[in-house]
Amino acid sequence: MKRRIIEIDESLCNGCGLCVNACHEGAIGLVEGKAKLLRDDYCDGLGNCLPVCPTGAINFVEREAKEFDEEAVKAHMAAAPKHAAQAGGCPGMRMSVNERAAEAPIEGASQPSVLRQWPVQIRLVPANAQFLNGADLLIAADCAAYAYGSFHSDFMAGKVTLIGCPKLDDDDYTEKLTSILTHGGVRSVTVVRMEVPCCAGIAKAAMDAVKLSGRDVPLKTVIIRTDGTVARN
């Protein structure tokens, strides 16, 4: 039968593994460092993998392919080793959740971390990551945590944290944040930025993303001075 199915351009694939994590049917795997569609009948054609690909290597095509087989997928996923979807790729891009941090700080340091998830870089977080569902989102300029001494306890506690730097990253965050707000079920957004002019870009991207998402998501911005004090919020 002819149907819609994904196609992966291996020349564009960087082997990050984000598409492997995003595919709930186990249709994609990493083979010799490149993402591959393992079986046509595992692909449901919905494309959860498309928005998480950082290089645009995945697209839809219409071609002859076996019909999606839900029973085969269930058997495949039941037989797969735990965390198999995260095998391979860059370890820094693999999703994980710190369950204890959602309830209390993790012990083992003089100032315990309250980071709830990994990854934290805006560009690396899949828009459909489960930890975004119902989350209060903190979007922070990466310098802010170094400038403000109580960043974990005052801003990160109870939130999912995403960081970035509009000065150093080549692309605008608006498109990625819009996708996150559209698909992630985020409840609220807090932006923490530095007072320097270039840092305004991260706040603007968040504001534009809220508008483009079409959702009524409360948004608050906090500005940190370079001396580590709060300018305003």
Side-chain angles (χ1 to χ4, degrees), residues 76-96:
H76 167 60
M77 297 303 290
K82 190 176 181 181
H83 304 310
Q86 294 185 349
C90 172
M93 296 181 180
R94 296 178 192 165
M95 288 189 293
S96 63

Side-chain angles (χ1 to χ4, degrees), residues 1-7 37 39-41 61-68:
M1 64 177 294
K2 194 171 185 178
R3 69 180 181 95
R4 187 170 78 159
I5 196 167
I6 65 160
E7 181 177 72
L37 178 60
R39 280 178 42 169
D40 287 359
D41 57 345
V61 294
E62 290 276 345
R63 66 170 174 82
E64 290 292 329
K66 289 183 179 180
E67 186 177 359
F68 173 63

Side-chain angles (χ1 to χ4, degrees), residues 143-149 155 192-196 199 222-233:
C143 294
Y146 293 95
Y148 190 85
F155 295 116
V192 179
R193 51 155 292 203
M194 299 300 296
E195 66 177 344
V196 294
C199 211
V222 180
I223 299 177
I224 307 295
R225 298 188 181 95
T226 52
D227 65 1
T229 59
V230 175
R232 63 181 175 85
N233 56 41

